[in-house]
């Protein structure tokens, strides 16, 4: 009896079964939409920045600057005196440039020349009267000290100005070299010599200062000694840069 009823319901169940099966499939095929807050347009963009080769080299070449309080190490060395000695080197260079490397003629151009006599060393302008006859000729009158005429002539010849004095009794005529391109280039070479001389003097100041510091090691820590030496080197480097600037400026002036 139950089997006969089941056979009668089979067509009905067959019609209902496809709709029951299809409904979950249709529902499961839907893809949930993403919330607006997770939109790819607003996601953070994480980028890793790598140091370039150039920046790495620059960072490697940089050294930390030292700035020691001079009052704290005055028992070891006077950094102010070291600075004054280095500044004196730069001042001397400026004076050498001014006196020896001028392309303009004036009586004062010979004032710096030192004359060695049997009585000692004297500035040329204390032994002779200097005057300018023309832009290309200076005259030194030795009437006041005629016995020093030969010594003055030698001093003029040995100066770094390329002078060839001509002697007539107690009168020394000094032709001034014409300002040619060659003469300007020779003055530039002379400027480099003065600059190298200044750097040598600067190295001596630094070396003497470092030597004094090393002699004071007793009772002073190695770290303190190292910092002082580094400070002295830093000071010297600064004045070397100033010397290079002076040379560059003078070279530009001489070459026109």
């Amino acid at each position: 009896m139950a089997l006969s009823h089941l056979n009668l319901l089979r067509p009905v169940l067959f019609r209902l079964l496809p709709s029951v099966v299809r409904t979950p499939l249709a529902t499961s095929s839907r893809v949930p939409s993403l919330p607006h807050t997770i939109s790819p347009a607003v996601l953070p963009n994480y980028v890793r920045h790598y140091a370039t080769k150039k920046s790495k080299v620059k960072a490697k070449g940089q050294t930390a600057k030292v700035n020691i309080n001079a009052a704290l190490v005055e028992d070891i060395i006077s950094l102010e005196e070291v600075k004054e000695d280095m500044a004196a080197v730069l001042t001397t260079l400026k004076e050498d440039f001014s006196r020896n490397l001028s392309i303009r003629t004036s009586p004062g151009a010979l004032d710096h020349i030192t004359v060695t006599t049997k009585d000692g060393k004297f500035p040329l302008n204390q032994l002779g009267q200097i005057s300018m006859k023309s832009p290309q000729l200076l005259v030194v009158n030795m009437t006041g000290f005629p016995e020093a005429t030969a010594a003055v002539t030698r001093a003029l010849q040995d100066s770094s100005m390329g002078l060839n004095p001509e002697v007539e009794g107690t009168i020394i005529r000094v032709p001034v070299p014409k300002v040619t391109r060659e003469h300007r280039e020779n003055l530039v070479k002379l400027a480099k010599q003065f600059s190298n001389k200044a750097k040598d003097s600067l190295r001596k100041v630094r070396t003497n200062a470092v030597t004094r510091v090393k002699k004071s090691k007793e009772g002073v820590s190695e770290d303190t000694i190292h910092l002082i030496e580094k400070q002295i080197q830093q000071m010297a480097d600064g004045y070397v840069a100033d010397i290079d600037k002076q040379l560059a400026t003078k070279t530009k002036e001489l070459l026109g």
Side-chain angles (χ1 to χ4, degrees):
M1 184 69 177
L3 182 60
S4 63
H5 284 297
L6 182 61
N7 291 330
L8 292 173
L9 292 174
R10 181 176 293 175
V12 177
L13 290 175
F14 183 79
R15 288 196 299 271
L16 293 175
L17 183 60
S19 62
V20 174
V21 173
R22 285 198 302 269
T23 301
L25 290 176
T27 305
S28 62
S29 63
R30 295 180 182 178
V31 179
S33 60
L34 290 173
H36 293 293
T37 56
I38 316 180
S39 173
V42 297
L43 290 176
N45 184 19
Y46 295 101
V47 179
R48 183 173 181 181
H49 297 279
Y50 294 92
T52 61
K53 184 177 181 181
K54 184 177 181 180
S55 63
K56 287 181 179 180
V57 172
K58 183 178 180 181
K60 185 178 180 181
Q62 291 177 344
T63 56
K65 289 187 176 181
V66 179
N67 189 13
I68 300 175
N69 189 334
L72 299 178
V73 296
E74 60 183 2
D75 292 338
I76 303 174
I77 191 172
S78 174
L79 293 177
E80 288 299 324
E81 290 183 2
V82 176
K83 184 177 180 180
E84 289 174 1
D85 291 341
M86 291 183 177
V89 172
L90 184 61
T91 299
T92 300
L93 176 65
K94 292 179 180 179
E95 292 175 351
D96 286 338
F97 279 0
S98 177
R99 293 181 303 193
N100 298 300
L101 302 178
S102 177
I103 57 177
R104 296 179 181 178
T105 306
S106 69
L110 304 180
D111 288 348
H112 70 283
I113 295 179
T114 301
V115 181
T116 302
T117 69
K118 61 181 181 180
D119 297 322
K121 295 182 178 181
F122 303 92
L124 191 152
N125 58 4
Q126 290 186 9
L127 299 176
Q129 184 179 1
I130 306 171
S131 60
M132 185 172 68
K133 294 299 181 181
S134 72
Q136 283 76 41
L137 181 64
L138 295 175
V139 175
V140 182
N141 190 332
M142 297 298 301
T143 303
F145 297 91
E147 67 278 9
T149 300
V152 169
T153 303
R154 284 195 301 272
L156 290 167
Q157 291 171 336
D158 295 340
S159 71
S160 57
M161 301 176 67
L163 303 176
N164 293 304
E166 302 169 357
V167 183
E168 295 181 5
T170 57
I171 300 297
I172 304 176
R173 300 181 183 277
V174 187
V176 178
K178 187 177 180 181
V179 184
T180 61
R181 184 68 183 180
E182 182 181 1
H183 179 59
R184 290 175 182 269
E185 291 175 352
N186 288 334
L187 290 178
V188 170
K189 292 178 182 179
L190 187 58
K192 291 179 180 179
Q193 292 177 13
F194 282 126
S195 297
N196 291 335
K197 180 181 177 182
K199 289 181 180 180
D200 289 340
S201 298
L202 201 61
R203 278 191 288 268
K204 289 179 182 178
V205 173
R206 178 187 58 78
T207 300
N208 292 337
V210 171
T211 300
R212 292 203 304 272
V213 171
K214 289 182 176 179
K215 287 182 179 179
S216 305
K217 281 189 175 182
E218 187 175 348
V220 182
S221 68
E222 290 291 336
D223 289 341
T224 301
I225 296 296
H226 176 70
L227 286 175
I228 297 175
E229 291 178 2
K230 196 171 182 180
Q231 175 81 59
I232 294 171
Q233 181 62 55
Q234 188 173 288
M235 292 164 60
D237 291 342
Y239 279 100
V240 168
D242 289 338
I243 290 173
D244 289 336
K245 289 179 182 177
Q246 290 293 324
L247 176 59
T249 301
K250 178 56 68 173
T251 298
K252 184 176 180 181
E253 174 190 326
L254 293 173
L255 294 179

